[in-house]
Structure formats: structure tokens, C-alpha cells
Amino acid sequence: QVQLQESGPGLVKPSGTLSLTCTVSGGSIGNSHWWGWVRQSPEKGLEWIGEIYPSGTINYNPSLKSRVTISVDKSKNQFSLKLSSVTAADTAIYYCARDKFSGLYAHDAFDIWGQGTMVTVSS
Amino acid sequence: DVQMTQSPSTLSASVGDRVTITCRASQSISSWLAWYQLKPGKAPKLLIYKASNLESGVPSRFSGSGSGTEFTLTVSSLQPDDFATYYCQQYKTYPWTFGQGTKVEIK
């Protein structure tokens, strides 16, 4: 069955860029499903960051849009998150997740999640 | 953004209890609502999608209902593995938004 695993630095300096990768195993990113990022912090709870469809269509949360980049590398079966100009407010557990619906023009719940990776923003 | 409000924030219950969690949306989201179970250090688990559809592999003691702006998650007989935090999420309107969570504790 499809599994997701987040990876990346656990500590990022203020004003730096947070970079995370989600590796898909047990299946292919292929050309289906939306793939997304969600974070969890005590202050904001769960927050949707954005999503990408393998064809390259991307949607971002407007609250983060100016700082976020999501990309996909189908050859490596991975998708990635970059968040620039980070502050302590970006300290959170970051999850990658798959949309249950396989098509481009609709959505459903997130049916598969990674275990999450803790990222701390601190000097 | 669509605001999702869950109640209660914390719920103390015993094994075998029937528990109900409520989620209210600030505007109609039809049935575009999911419920998740979160435990520390584990991948979040989808329980219910489209308000009332049980995800494959999820025990039938979990059920969801509602449409429009008011939704409920019910656990008919709480089991030891069910002590966790539960979140609702709307996926009708971007940006997707989540409730603040309901922690189910052992009484």
C-alpha cells in the first residue's frame, strides 16, 4: 500500500528557508491524486499549506502563498515543500498527505499521511 | 476562510461510553467534511469522508453525520485505542481548514 515519508532538516535558522521532501513508496505519484502539505502547531492547530497535482497544477494557502513553493519530481516519486523567510511561528510538525480522489477537477479527504516531521525555527 | 469550530475541546470518557463530537462550519460546506484521528508520533488517520462515509478499515463504531454547517462524529462504544485527538476538516472551499481539535481523555 502507498506510504508517505517526510524528510528534511529538523532545525532551521530564522529568516532561512525550510525545505522538506515527501517520498512516496508502495505506489507511484504518476499522474493522479493531489499531494499536499499540512502543518500542526500548538498556536494554529492544523493548517493546510498547499497541494500539487502531478501535471504541475498547484494551489497554496493565501496566508502562506508569498513564501511557499511546492514542486514534484516524478522520476524520484517525491514532492517537496519550500517555505522561505521562516520565523518562530513556522515551528511545527509538517505532514505530507495524499488526496483520496484521483482526478484533477475534484477533491476528497486526505486518506494517506506521513508520520510528520518536527521542524524548529531557532538560531 | 471557512471557520471550523469543534466542541467540546476536551472530553473525558470511559471505555464503553458513547461519545459525540460536534463540528460547525461558518458557512455551508454541503457534505465536504472529513474527520481524522491524531496520535503523537503517528500518521493521522482518516476516519470519515464526505461527512458520513466510513473509510475502509475503520471500525464501524465510528460514524459521521450532518450536512451544511453542522456535523457530528460519534463513537458508539469507546475503546482503549480511541483515546486520541479528533479533527474535522472542510474541503469545499480553498483554503481547506480544520477544526481546533477535540481531545478524548480517559475519565
Side-chain angles (χ1 to χ4, degrees):
Chain A
Q1 69 280 23
V2 175
Q3 294 183 305
L4 306 182
Q5 179 66 59
E6 306 88 351
S7 60
L11 182 64
V12 182
K13 291 188 184 328
S15 77
T17 297
L18 178 160
S19 297
L20 296 175
T21 296
C22 182
T23 300
V24 180
S25 60
S28 172
I29 281 183
N31 287 303
S32 65
H33 295 277
W34 288 92
W35 304 86
W37 291 94
V38 176
R39 67 181 183 180
Q40 181 183 24
S41 65
E43 296 76 24
K44 291 192 172 184
L46 287 170
E47 182 178 28
W48 177 76
I49 299 170
E51 61 183 7
I52 187 166
Y53 200 81
S55 61
T57 305
I58 302 171
N59 295 302
Y60 295 131
N61 190 324
S63 68
L64 297 168
K65 187 174 184 177
S66 64
R67 300 193 290 131
V68 174
T69 302
I70 295 175
S71 59
V72 65
D73 186 336
K74 290 191 278 187
S75 68
K76 294 183 179 179
N77 228 26
Q78 295 175 334
F79 60 105
S80 299
L81 169 71
K82 290 188 187 300
L83 181 65
S84 63
S85 304
V86 297
T87 69
D90 296 309
T91 294
I93 299 171
Y94 285 76
Y95 297 99
C96 57
R98 188 189 81 166
D99 189 303
K100 185 177 174 69
F101 188 76
S102 61
L104 171 63
Y105 296 109
H107 279 280
D108 210 326
F110 293 118
D111 65 339
I112 301 173
W113 295 66
Q115 285 196 309
T117 187
M118 180 69 204
V119 178
T120 301
V121 178
S122 175
S123 56
Chain B
D1 297 3
V2 178
Q3 303 301 316
M4 305 300 292
T5 304
Q6 281 182 240
S7 60
S9 297
T10 307
L11 191 161
S12 295
S14 302
V15 172
D17 283 355
R18 179 183 182 89
V19 301
T20 298
I21 299 169
T22 298
C23 179
R24 288 187 174 86
S26 61
Q27 63 191 68
S28 177
I29 57 170
S30 185
S31 296
W32 302 111
L33 183 105
W35 289 97
Y36 302 95
Q37 179 191 70
L38 269 72
K39 294 181 178 180
K42 298 186 75 174
K45 182 179 181 180
L46 173 63
L47 303 174
I48 302 287
Y49 63 98
K50 287 197 193 94
S52 60
N53 292 271
L54 190 69
E55 175 69 352
S56 176
V58 174
S60 59
R61 62 181 180 271
F62 290 93
S63 64
S65 65
S67 66
T69 61
E70 189 148 339
F71 303 85
T72 59
L73 173 71
T74 299
V75 187
S76 60
S77 177
L78 205 62
Q79 298 302 301
D81 191 48
D82 301 337
F83 292 97
T85 304
Y86 295 84
Y87 293 86
C88 60
Q89 178 223 344
Q90 68 81 21
Y91 48 98
K92 167 76 165 55
T93 305
Y94 286 121
W96 308 151
T97 47
F98 295 82
Q100 80 279 17
T102 296
K103 185 174 184 179
V104 178
E105 298 180 330
I106 300 173
K107 194 173 186 178

